[in-house]
Amino acid sequence: MFLKQVMGSFNEVQALILLLLIGFSSFIKCTSTLGDTNALLHVNASQGSTKNLPQNLFGVSFEEINNAGAGGLWAELVSNRGFESGGLHSPALIEPWSVIGGYSLVRVTTDFSSCFKRNAVALQMEVLCDSNACPAGGVGVYNPGYWGMNIEQGKTYKLVMYIRSLKPIDLTVSLTNSTGGKTLATTNIIAADVSNWTKVEISLKANATNHNSRLELKTNRKGIIWFDQVSLMPTDTYKGHGFRKDLFKMVADLKPGFIRFPGGSFAEGKSLMNAYWWKDTVGRWEERPGHMNDVWAYWTDDGLGFFEFLQLAEDLNASPIWVFNSGFSQEQAVDPSNIKPLVQDALDGIEFARGDPNSTWGSLRANMGHVEPFNLKHVAIGNQDCWRGGYRANYLKFYAAIKEAYPDIKVISNCDGSNAQLDHPAELYDYHLYVNAKTMFSMAHKFDHTSRTGPKAFVSEYAVTWDDARLGNLLAAIAEAGFLIGVEKNCDVVDMASNAPLFLNANTPSNKGFRPDAIVFDSYQAYGTPSYWMQQFFSMSNGATLLDSTLQTDSSNSLMASAIWFQNPVDKKNYLRVKVVNYGSNKVNLKISFEGLDLGLIDYSKSTQTVLSSTNVKDENSFQNPTKVSPVKSLLKKGKNDLNVTLPSNSLSSLDLLVLSQNIALINTKYDMSYASSI
Ligand code: AHR
């Protein structure tokens, strides 16, 4: 009625629409201003307030879990290459090998006739048909690898195998599609006398690409052929060292300061028999027995053995951190009175890694092609074993023996020293953290009150898990980023940190393995989860200089920030990097003030803002959309005397300022801006 009087000729419907529009527009205005938060970050770049971040602060934790190595980073395409996975039985399961041809034509079993002492099992294939009585193409066996082999057109694959037969053989070796219907590469082995075990080496060049291929060994000649140690490797691996190139690059892009291996629980085993015993994983690959990874329920041929782990660390320019068994599996324990042989085993392992090439174990390393010692400086005594009765007693024996022989080696205890001093000597203590997102973000302050003296923390496994993370989402990544900023700020008591697990083969059944993971892959492709991309924001922190920084905000519970000074190894220029996590659901207007830095020295044409965010905090990446949640880079906008940036809700931002100065000490303070009063 009132509107009608005011508006004169407007009818009632028009008036109602206008009313709604006015109401709606003021609602929008209200929510956008109410939704924003203001914050000020004060960065003190003057020299007196800096700390050196450890050279190896951020690294990776590699575990043989989720087929990370066997069927993953280790490029071997044949699974169960020695037919050992079924154990010392006859007949034994030979999975994933399968038979081509019916039982009336070909019979396959295992026996113990191998020429290799440590892996006695061999495959015996008895062909009952001959020539035309056999199906076209012959009968035989095939191996599908780890959920299909990736065979690529134009690439070469090296097949090595051991064969024996009492009669002359005519064998066809082929790479085919998953059903055997299409051949990608093939060759014939015709030999008159293989009555003794004979090594065969063949090069196969693929004429087409198929990501789900298999290796076939077929014949149409009657008789018995024995096979053992059948290996198929792409020739195109990182430096020829056997690492799948795409997966290696993904790890290398994190610029890890260290690599912890071989686990995790994998180092312990469920039973001691299936723990990781390094001596079974070195020497010629043909002679390695392989073992059941009983914690994660799959067989590993141990192609990625102790030597290869050390080589991997060297190739990544990362410090190797060897976790050895402390006398405990998940279900069994070695009494301290019997621990001596295991102590000797650990000493032998260190000698293998860094001993003189003339020493017993150093000479084996040299024979394997690495005459120079590897740079092993850290060992961890066990994994998550502190709670076990007898751990300390075992630990002390390992510790004393290692320190006596290798005083420079830093020893990592499984016991938590973050709340109270350890009751035993150690340079570092291992700390694992698997929690929900909220707890992870709050753990940024975990080490604020830790004693500044005594052993330092090695956070060797951290991750947001379960519903908050699912297969790896933005929420997990930004919560973890908040925690890592806390790690940077506490770098005087935290020496190293790594997310875990590193890898997941996407074919791992959903009831097996561990999720989420940083890198997900299948036979030929890979993507990083948001946590993977998050780690890249910290890749320049190793060895950088941490600057004092203080946040002033009304939402301190959802913001975490740090500032570092680093030299980019590529352009050799100096950068000031400010990282800020906005864990809240409001966007934040952040002003950054600097002390001890002349803003005139900033080259804005090369200064950037990189943001990890997404429309939904539960967003994940996938093979279909591998970079849905990934860093987006833009040029930083130049402010008058200051830096003003917007931090999207649920985001991690990195502001990289190119500072035109050789040395932070040369930078003079021109502006000392304080905006505290304006927020
Ligand atoms: O990272 C996955 C597992 O979690 C590790 O094997 C173990 O150390 C931890 O419990």
Side-chain angles (χ1 to χ4, degrees), residues 391-642:
Y391 175 74
R392 281 171 180 75
N394 282 358
Y395 174 94
L396 288 171
K397 295 201 170 152
F398 282 108
Y399 185 87
I402 290 168
K403 283 292 169 181
E404 194 188 330
Y406 302 98
D408 65 307
I409 284 214
K410 292 191 174 167
V411 176
I412 303 164
S413 163
N414 282 182
C415 300
D416 180 4
S418 63
N419 297 320
Q421 293 284 353
L422 295 183
D423 58 5
H424 52 274
E427 280 69 49
L428 293 138
Y429 60 90
D430 200 359
Y431 188 87
H432 293 183
L433 187 60
Y434 292 106
V435 287
N436 64 31
K438 194 166 166 235
T439 309
M440 179 63 79
F441 189 73
S442 70
M443 291 297 270
H445 299 288
K446 161 73 196 162
F447 297 99
D448 289 0
H449 305 293
T450 294
S451 162
R452 287 6 235 180
T453 57
K456 297 190 179 192
F458 173 26
V459 186
S460 71
E461 299 181 15
Y462 72 84
V464 172
T465 46
W466 299 104
D467 262 8
D468 276 358
R470 297 195 195 149
L471 296 180
N473 58 25
L474 176 65
L475 178 65
I478 58 168
E480 290 162 1
F483 171 67
L484 290 194
I485 286 180
V487 164
E488 286 186 333
K489 287 176 170 280
N490 283 291
C491 64
D492 53 332
V493 292
V494 184
D495 210 32
M496 299 185 286
S498 47
N499 182 260
L502 180 61
F503 281 120
L504 171 75
N505 185 317
N507 294 294
T508 302
S510 57
N511 62 344
K512 276 191 183 179
F514 192 107
R515 295 164 179 84
D517 308 272
I519 301 168
V520 183
F521 64 90
D522 62 15
S523 76
Y524 73 103
Q525 55 186 344
Y527 68 86
T529 60
S531 291
Y532 170 81
W533 292 109
M534 176 282 293
Q535 290 178 63
Q536 288 210 358
F537 283 67
F538 291 80
S539 63
M540 286 299 145
S541 296
N542 291 347
T545 305
L546 181 78
L547 308 178
D548 241 15
S549 57
T550 327
L551 260 175
Q552 292 173 21
T553 170
D554 44 4
S555 61
S556 56
N557 289 341
S558 56
L559 286 184
M560 276 300 294
S562 69
I564 63 164
W565 175 256
F566 70 93
Q567 191 180 69
N568 184 324
V570 179
D571 63 13
K572 302 272 179 269
K573 301 221 164 106
N574 292 319
Y575 288 81
L576 199 151
R577 170 172 288 184
V578 174
K579 294 191 288 296
V580 198
V581 177
N582 178 8
Y583 187 67
S585 46
N586 295 336
K587 81 172 185 198
V588 173
N589 301 312
L590 180 73
K591 283 190 179 190
I592 306 176
S593 71
F594 295 95
E595 186 180 328
L597 171 66
D598 176 353
L599 289 186
L601 290 174
I602 294 175
D603 178 351
Y604 277 92
S605 71
K606 298 209 173 75
S607 296
T608 55
Q609 175 171 10
T610 309
V611 180
L612 183 70
S613 192
S614 195
T615 42
N616 189 321
V617 75
K618 293 287 182 91
D619 277 352
E620 298 180 358
N621 293 332
S622 61
F623 288 125
Q624 291 70 36
N625 200 347
T627 51
K628 181 174 184 176
V629 189
S630 58
V632 176
K633 199 182 251 192
S634 57
L635 274 183
L636 259 182
K637 284 193 201 85
K638 186 178 177 182
K640 215 174 170 195
N641 306 325
D642 54 14

Side-chain angles (χ1 to χ4, degrees), residues 230-247:
V230 183
S231 164
L232 182 73
M233 284 288 266
T235 53
D236 185 26
T237 62
Y238 183 78
K239 284 189 174 174
H241 288 165
F243 309 122
R244 202 174 119 175
K245 270 186 170 172
D246 58 336
L247 299 184

Side-chain angles (χ1 to χ4, degrees), residues 8-25:
S9 60
F10 264 52
N11 67 30
E12 277 185 21
V13 176
Q14 284 171 317
L16 188 64
I17 292 171
L18 185 65
L19 194 62
L20 283 173
L21 282 174
I22 293 168
F24 185 59
S25 68

Side-chain angles (χ1 to χ4, degrees), residues 63 65 260 263-266 268 295-296 383-384 432 434 461 500-501 514:
E63 174 161 13
I65 180 173
R260 170 187 184 245
S265 314
F266 176 70
E268 302 172 270
V295 176
W296 305 113
N383 176 64
Q384 298 184 162
H432 293 183
Y434 292 106
E461 299 181 15
F514 192 107

